[in-house]
Amino acid sequence: MMILHCKPSSPISVNILESSPPQRRRPTTIRCSAKIQKSILNSSTDPGFSKFSLCPCGRKHFLGEPTTTTTPFLPISPSHASQSSSSEVLNKLRPPKPDWYFELYGWFRSSGMERYEKEIAGYKKKLFSQVGNAEKVLEIGIGAGPNIKYYNSLPNVSILGVDPNPKMESYARKAAIEAGLKSEDFKFIHGVAECIPLEDASVDAVVTSLVMCSVTDVTQTLNEIKRILKPGGRYLFVEHVAAEDGSFLRMVQNVLDPVQQVVADGCHLTRPTGESLLKAEFPGGVDINKASLTSFFHLSPHIYGVAYN
């Protein structure tokens, strides 16, 4: 298995698996404050504002070709988000949908992903073995909680699950109980990844799984992850990404992408998430592995790995 390992202070390179964790450095503090929330709320009504970039670049750029760096539209500010202000941003970025929609999508994530979860299980076991001795874990886009079972080997672990779909809470709590997690060790937060109502440096690990495809702003989401992670904390990710530019699969993704956004709660098929992770410049670097799955052909290209804060 090849791994792409990148540190902000060194050129991008492709290496065999690293045997030791990258050097840690203190993270940059970027806070979701009232000023940031106002920026989000105002920018979403600006006709010149683009919520995301559907960059056509594929694997060539992902492997390190120069690309244009964009500046996040959200400013740096001095205080974290409250629960009420986070809810305001949630309602602006993800306007409320009918209950039947939330229920239907919740059922699909709970029952319709079994084949996918079976195929990805080997990769996830390998990934979650690198969570370290985390005691407080935040999973963004926790959905029906398919990853909770991977935390049960951690002593004294408590899990926070963030999701914009309120109907996911019952599924996630059921998964937590089945995994042997105590009720008081699981908390569900109805919110979005761009404005998380947690203190700076407050969690040991952050996890996302099939999440970066559907967030409104990938850059701000990664900034929030860096903000809430403790120094030396880890961000574990498993994400589907755009296929290689010019490939048949990429053509299929380009055709299906508008439909996918409608039927899969805002999911984009053509996001170069690996490239975004490199641009985020996590202080301790990032290890990125690539995989291809047969389940859901249009979601086949995957990346998984760990970013170090």
Side-chain angles (χ1 to χ4, degrees):
M1 174 67 68
M2 300 296 289
I3 285 189
L4 178 63
H5 178 69
C6 173
K7 293 184 181 179
S9 59
S10 63
I12 296 172
S13 61
V14 179
N15 300 312
I16 301 298
L17 256 179
E18 297 286 344
S19 58
S20 59
Q23 181 181 357
R24 310 288 193 270
R25 293 202 298 272
R26 190 169 184 81
T28 303
T29 302
I30 302 175
R31 300 176 174 88
C32 184
S33 68
K35 187 175 180 181
I36 287 180
Q37 296 146 20
K38 184 177 180 180
S39 174
I40 297 175
L41 300 177
N42 291 340
S43 60
S44 62
T45 59
D46 183 350
F49 168 66
S50 175
K51 289 184 178 179
F52 48 81
S53 173
L54 289 180
C55 176
C57 57
R59 190 173 301 165
K60 291 189 296 183
H61 287 175
F62 167 70
L63 289 177
E65 287 187 359
T67 56
T68 302
T69 302
T70 57
T71 302
F73 72 90
L74 299 171
I76 296 175
S77 189
S79 62
H80 70 280
S82 66
Q83 180 65 58
S84 59
S85 57
S86 178
S87 298
E88 184 179 2
V89 174
L90 162 68
N91 291 331
K92 194 69 178 181
L93 295 185
R94 302 294 293 264
K97 293 182 173 67
D99 277 354
W100 66 262
Y101 179 91
F102 285 131
E103 291 279 9
L104 180 62
Y105 193 67
W107 171 85
F108 172 75
R109 288 300 298 265
S110 176
S111 304
M113 299 290 286
E114 291 181 1
R115 186 161 59 97
Y116 170 84
E117 290 297 335
K118 286 181 180 179
E119 185 174 4
I120 198 71
Y123 297 105
K124 284 188 175 182
K125 287 177 182 177
K126 179 180 178 181
L127 176 63
F128 282 91
S129 69
Q130 302 181 61
V131 73
N133 297 318
E135 293 186 353
K136 190 171 184 180
V137 177
L138 170 70
E139 182 163 347
I140 301 173
I142 195 167
N147 298 324
I148 295 179
K149 60 179 176 287
Y150 297 107
Y151 306 124
N152 59 12
S153 62
L154 298 174
N156 306 316
V157 68
S158 62
I159 299 173
L160 302 171
V162 175
D163 204 285
N165 185 340
K167 300 300 181 181
M168 291 298 187
E169 180 173 6
S170 60
Y171 293 105
R173 287 195 176 280
K174 180 182 177 182
I177 293 171
E178 291 175 350
L181 197 68
K182 296 178 182 178
S183 177
E184 61 267 26
D185 290 333
F186 176 78
K187 180 181 179 181
F188 183 89
I189 301 172
H190 184 212
V192 289
E194 292 86 350
C195 192
I196 301 170
L198 294 177
E199 299 279 352
D200 294 6
S202 58
V203 300
D204 301 301
V206 175
V207 174
T208 66
S209 176
L210 304 184
V211 169
M212 290 300 173
C213 59
S214 59
V215 297
T216 302
D217 190 298
V218 175
T219 298
Q220 174 58 17
T221 297
L222 293 172
N223 285 340
E224 278 289 270
I225 290 171
K226 291 191 291 183
R227 178 183 69 81
I228 62 178
L229 271 176
K230 295 178 181 179
R234 300 180 180 188
Y235 165 43
L236 284 65
F237 54 88
V238 182
E239 300 290 343
H240 72 82
V241 294
E244 184 176 1
D245 194 22
S247 66
F248 173 74
L249 178 54
R250 181 57 181 272
M251 182 183 68
V252 172
Q253 288 179 330
N254 289 338
V255 171
L256 294 180
D257 192 55
V259 178
Q260 179 80 0
Q261 293 177 43
V262 174
V263 301
D265 203 22
C267 170
H268 296 75
L269 297 174
T270 56
R271 284 192 172 169
T273 303
E275 186 176 318
S276 298
L277 281 162
L278 296 177
K279 290 180 180 179
E281 296 187 345
F282 278 83
V286 56
D287 293 331
I288 301 178
N289 304 265
K290 297 166 67 177
S292 295
L293 306 182
T294 58
S295 303
F296 301 104
F297 169 73
H298 59 300
L299 305 180
S300 175
H302 270 56
I303 59 171
Y304 68 99
V306 183
Y308 301 89
N309 211 29

